[in-house]
Amino acid sequence: MDNQTMIQVYYKMLTTRFFEKQAAMLSEMNIVTAPMYLCCGSEGVVSAVAALSEDDAIFAGHRNTSVLIGCECEIEDMFTELLGGTDGYLGGKSGLSSYCDSGVNFFGSTRLPASQFSVAVGAAMAKKLQGENSVVVCFAGDGACCDGTFYEALNMAGVYELPIIFFIENNGYAGKMQTKGVIDCEDIAIRANGFNVKAIMLKGNDPVGIYNAVKTVRDYTIKNGPVIIEAKTNVRYASVYGEDTSYMKQEDINNALIDDPINAFSEYILEKGLLNKSELTAIKEKAKAEVESALDRVLGSMGIEISDSEVV
């Protein structure tokens, strides 16, 4: 990862964090009543998108904010869709969990876990038949890998040697259960062995490691077929934001706070000497201002007023 890309990834990670803070605020104020699926604590996924070509196609599930912002979907449009505004890219009908934007090659999210696998494999088949020198990347959570669709998609991708990367974010919880309670193996990646598919495991909160791995895997996938990437990461909140978290272990929540990808990346950038603390702060303030300004414009255009006393 070169220095310019590193700064861009850092900015997008911060933008993701600030966007979700504002989205959570809207949920707490009941301005947004739809279920809120936050990826706070796993923003390192942004770097996976940064490693792709503009010709690659991307699919994701319902916990998708880092992927959307990594793809450079418009922040203002994302807020508009979240609030159900008719001026949104999809007319305010999608919310974020079903968002898509073909202009940035993001071809869709889904509220139904695992349903993105089969569509992504179809897109990969099209790329192979048309002789394109690009890949499909399908993002999903560990819970989605319990669905039969995952195995069907993996089998077809392997049989036809399709150019697709299955990027699995394993945050240790599948819905409201610990992953180890629904998957009888420590690593999802080992399931690739049954399909003669290559698999690698990553630390999901290491943006540089993710970027370099996806860059390498992308070239391999175009020539040789599918790959599973399992990124072990963390989750800070309930599966749906605002719900009871009693099913979560306090140790896991504490580890998520300690192993924060943004803090870790900040320290890495400082140690590398790429930026100093004041420059990092300036980037942070810029990302925060961009998100807040976008939300203000959307609220104003939709005639929604929020008093200062309501803001959390």
Side-chain angles (χ1 to χ4, degrees):
M1 181 186 289
D2 60 41
N3 291 347
Q4 183 178 0
T5 302
M6 202 174 299
I7 294 173
Q8 291 173 344
V9 167
Y10 181 65
Y11 185 81
K12 289 180 180 180
M13 289 172 67
L14 287 167
T15 303
T16 302
R17 178 71 58 87
F18 288 126
F19 180 92
E20 290 200 334
K21 283 187 175 182
Q22 296 300 311
M25 176 194 73
L26 295 170
S27 178
E28 290 174 8
M29 296 167 63
N30 290 320
I31 294 175
V32 173
T33 57
M36 191 78 67
Y37 306 99
L38 303 183
C39 65
C40 184
S42 59
E43 290 90 348
V45 173
V46 165
S47 64
V49 181
L52 301 175
S53 165
E54 61 181 12
D55 297 323
D56 297 332
I58 300 172
F59 294 82
H62 55 286
R63 200 177 308 280
N64 60 11
T65 315
S66 57
V67 180
L68 293 175
I69 291 176
C71 288
E72 298 188 356
C73 293
E74 292 291 337
I75 302 298
E76 194 167 331
D77 186 75
M78 289 169 61
F79 274 128
T80 304
E81 285 297 324
L82 186 64
L83 291 161
T86 56
D87 291 334
Y89 183 76
L90 297 168
K93 298 177 180 179
S94 76
L96 292 187
S97 299
S98 300
Y99 196 86
C100 71
D101 185 347
S102 59
V104 293
N105 278 359
F106 183 78
F107 291 104
S109 300
T110 173
R111 285 186 174 87
L112 182 61
S115 61
Q116 68 266 41
F117 290 129
S118 55
V119 183
V121 164
M125 175 66 84
K127 283 185 175 294
K128 178 149 189 174
L129 291 175
Q130 293 171 9
E132 296 183 19
N133 192 39
S134 57
V135 302
V136 172
V137 181
C138 185
F139 291 89
D142 46 286
C145 296
C146 299
D147 194 281
T149 307
F150 175 63
Y151 303 100
E152 293 172 4
L154 190 57
N155 183 65
M156 183 173 180
V159 169
Y160 292 101
E161 298 181 346
L162 302 182
I164 182 170
I165 299 170
F166 298 94
F167 193 103
I168 309 302
E169 299 175 63
N170 185 349
N171 63 23
Y173 285 87
K176 293 180 173 60
M177 290 187 66
Q178 284 188 290
T179 304
K180 62 183 180 182
V182 295
I183 297 178
D184 192 23
C185 58
E186 185 175 349
D187 304 315
I188 294 170
I190 67 171
R191 294 184 171 183
N193 295 334
F195 299 89
N196 194 31
V197 170
K198 181 181 177 64
I200 62 173
M201 293 177 57
L202 301 171
K203 179 175 170 55
N205 293 342
D206 173 16
V208 175
I210 292 175
Y211 179 90
N212 292 336
V214 172
K215 271 285 188 186
T216 302
V217 166
R218 181 185 180 277
D219 294 338
Y220 172 91
T221 300
I222 290 174
K223 298 175 182 177
N224 302 288
V227 175
I228 293 178
I229 295 178
E230 180 181 1
K232 295 289 184 70
T233 184
N234 302 303
V235 61
R236 288 192 183 183
Y237 301 117
S239 179
V240 177
Y241 180 74
E243 290 188 348
D244 177 51
T245 58
S246 60
Y247 65 91
M248 299 177 68
K249 286 193 172 184
Q250 188 60 45
E251 179 185 1
D252 293 335
I253 297 175
N254 292 340
N255 287 338
L257 293 171
I258 294 170
D259 193 24
D260 183 273
I262 292 177
N263 290 343
F265 202 29
S266 297
E267 293 175 5
Y268 178 85
I269 291 172
L270 288 172
E271 292 173 1
K272 188 178 175 64
L274 178 59
L275 297 173
N276 57 39
K277 287 186 178 180
S278 62
E279 289 170 328
L280 286 177
T281 299
I283 291 176
K284 184 175 182 179
E285 291 176 349
K286 181 181 177 182
K288 184 173 184 290
E290 179 192 6
V291 171
E292 292 178 348
S293 177
L295 178 57
D296 286 343
R297 289 193 297 272
V298 172
L299 292 174
S301 67
M302 295 180 66
I304 299 174
E305 295 184 4
I306 300 177
S307 66
D308 292 339
S309 62
E310 290 178 301
V311 176
V312 294

